[in-house]
Amino acid sequence: MPAFDDTAARLRACRLCRDSPLYGPPLPQEPRPIVQGSATARLCIASQAPGTRAHRTGQPFTDPSGVRLRAWLGLDEARFYDPARVAIVPMGSCFPGLDAKGGDRPPRRECAERWRAELFSGLPELELILVIGQYAQGWHLGRMEGGLTGTVRRWREILAEPRRPRVLPLPHPSWRNNGWLKREPWFEAELLPVLRAEVARVMAG
């Protein structure tokens, strides 16, 4: 089983999507793969891909989405960025560039195909994976009935499934989802209290 640190070091040197892309044109900027974790991590945030600010800083979730996500989880920055307890493994480790409307492009498919299984094999202590957004949910949960909303609505069923580590689906904390959050009040009323309790339990272990 590869050590997480060794895999992460090789991932950070990866230039596959720029130099030998398998899907679509090359990455339009210099790759800067971002990943966090260690063999002792118990909580994993399975996200989509770094944004522009993360690409500049080299640290994930340093934007308002990260502020909202940490509020959802009940974690301060010190605990959120502690690789001994929290792994952050995006579907695409590099910022994928912007589309014609100014939004982030989807995560590069090459990244998950090449690195994801190896990264997770180096996280043997995981107890809970938070799958954020449709790309991570599709990878970790398979077919998504009813799209993202249908998947997140099934959170109780998914969390109760007899798998280890357990999985809990979440929407992306981006401001672009403010409308979704207003239309789905059960998310804050019902899911978030359970999410915070589960995160607190895992982090205390």
Side-chain angles (χ1 to χ4, degrees):
M1 180 175 65
F4 184 89
D5 290 348
D6 292 342
T7 303
R10 288 185 286 111
L11 167 60
R12 292 185 181 108
C14 180
R15 298 297 182 266
L16 174 64
C17 56
R18 184 195 67 184
D19 297 344
S20 303
L22 301 176
Y23 306 102
L27 195 71
Q29 70 278 330
E30 176 65 20
R32 189 176 190 179
I34 296 173
V35 67
Q36 171 182 305
S38 72
T40 61
R42 296 162 60 87
L43 174 67
C44 178
I45 298 166
S47 51
Q48 299 199 137
T52 53
R53 187 176 300 184
H55 180 69
R56 290 196 304 269
T57 64
Q59 189 173 46
F61 290 108
T62 54
D63 57 4
S65 295
V67 174
R68 173 179 274 173
L69 178 59
R70 286 186 286 277
W72 285 357
L73 305 183
L75 294 179
D76 58 19
E77 288 193 5
R79 291 185 294 167
F80 184 82
Y81 290 117
D82 180 1
R85 293 192 286 180
V86 179
I88 301 176
V89 185
M91 289 297 297
S93 294
C94 291
F95 170 54
L98 299 176
D99 61 23
K101 296 181 179 180
D104 291 357
R105 293 183 181 275
R108 296 291 302 219
R109 291 167 57 190
E110 297 96 330
C111 192
E113 291 179 2
R114 169 61 185 87
W115 294 105
R116 202 160 189 80
E118 189 172 340
L119 286 167
F120 275 92
S121 73
L123 296 169
E125 301 299 320
L126 285 185
E127 293 192 18
L128 180 64
I129 302 175
L130 306 178
V131 286
I132 297 177
Q134 62 176 328
Y135 299 104
Q137 289 167 14
W139 180 277
H140 289 274
L141 297 173
R143 186 167 178 264
M144 295 170 58
E145 297 181 8
L148 182 141
T149 299
T151 299
V152 179
R153 279 185 178 276
R154 293 173 46 236
W155 66 271
R156 290 185 181 87
E157 172 190 338
I158 292 169
L159 185 62
E161 289 177 356
R163 74 175 96 214
R164 291 294 180 271
R166 294 184 301 155
V167 174
L168 182 60
L170 300 174
H172 197 281
S174 168
W175 63 268
R176 294 176 184 272
N177 278 338
N178 285 349
W180 187 94
L181 293 171
K182 290 180 180 179
R183 292 191 303 272
E184 310 293 341
W186 53 268
F187 175 77
E188 292 190 358
E190 301 173 23
L191 193 157
L192 283 191
V194 174
L195 170 63
R196 291 186 184 119
E198 289 290 334
V199 169
R201 181 190 62 79
V202 169
M203 295 291 285

